[in-house]
Amino acid sequence: MKLLVAEDDKDLRESLVEGLRMQGYAVDCCADGEVADEMAFSESYDLIILDLNLPGMDGLEVLKNIRSQNQTVNVLILSARASLEDKIIGLDGGANDYLTKPFHFAELLARVRSLLRRKTVQESTVLTCDDLSFDTATRTVFASGSEVPLTTKETAILEYLLLHKERLVALSELLEHVWDNSVDSFSNSVRVHISSLRRKLRTALGYDPIRNVIGEGYQLREKL
């Protein structure tokens, strides 16, 4: 899942980015409202964490611009504006959730997971496909009941394929949602990580659960 963090406090921004990346998310960031406004339309984000007190353009104005274009991206406001009126304005303005500063990172993660489940119509924190399961809260993968150790990026790829297991996922789509914008479209990184992921799952399951349609993409499938 690909996230954008728009926060002008350098220490907080860097802490959020590091923590979210450790959880397996692809994260872009910025410190300016105008830049956030541009990035929201130039990239395919699954969720935007938006501060309100941004230089260049206020966070509420950024939110207004996003919603005026019928953007379906989830927006989580993260702000020191803690009054009831501020929360009402933010939520009525189109935010999906509102978290006030200071906050516990564990709560932020829980809200992020909740919003992403809502985006994909997912009710449980555990994603499954036949003998394969992934707990989005603990970031652990199990195959036939045994834990499978995966790298952070392999876990992120598997999560995205599980969330979209009913269809083929193009290579370009994986790049958009699992990698941040520092990776170019000609990178071989996706293929390398998928190859490693498939090898580990094949060893654990006794079959390859990832179908590769050359020129079209990848699909997680049930055991044949």
Side-chain angles (χ1 to χ4, degrees), residues 78-180:
L78 188 62
S79 177
R81 301 180 192 176
S83 72
L84 177 60
E85 181 181 3
D86 287 323
K87 293 178 182 178
I88 291 173
I89 291 173
L91 293 170
D92 282 348
N96 301 93
D97 201 354
Y98 196 114
L99 182 61
T100 57
K101 303 174 183 177
F103 60 93
H104 291 285
F105 185 66
E107 181 181 0
L108 174 70
L109 283 178
R111 289 173 183 252
V112 167
R113 290 194 299 267
S114 177
L115 289 173
L116 292 176
R117 287 199 303 273
R118 196 181 309 169
K119 178 181 176 67
T120 56
V121 198
Q122 174 204 347
E123 296 180 356
S124 173
T125 60
V126 179
L127 304 173
T128 62
C129 180
D130 206 9
D131 298 323
L132 190 63
S133 66
F134 171 59
D135 190 320
T136 60
T138 62
R139 311 298 293 175
T140 50
V141 177
F142 291 88
S144 300
S146 298
E147 185 173 350
V148 182
L150 300 179
T151 67
T152 300
K153 194 58 69 177
E154 290 166 356
T155 301
I157 293 171
L158 179 59
E159 179 181 21
Y160 197 82
L161 291 177
L162 279 165
L163 287 168
H164 302 86
K165 63 182 179 181
E166 300 299 326
R167 63 176 178 82
L168 283 167
V169 176
L171 189 69
S172 58
E173 185 176 344
L174 282 172
L175 272 171
E176 285 183 352
H177 291 271
V178 181
W179 270 258
D180 58 40

Side-chain angles (χ1 to χ4, degrees), residues 189-203:
S189 184
V190 177
R191 293 184 179 89
V192 171
H193 284 88
I194 286 184
S195 177
S196 176
L197 172 62
R198 295 177 73 178
R199 183 174 64 253
K200 292 178 181 179
L201 295 180
R202 189 185 303 114
T203 298

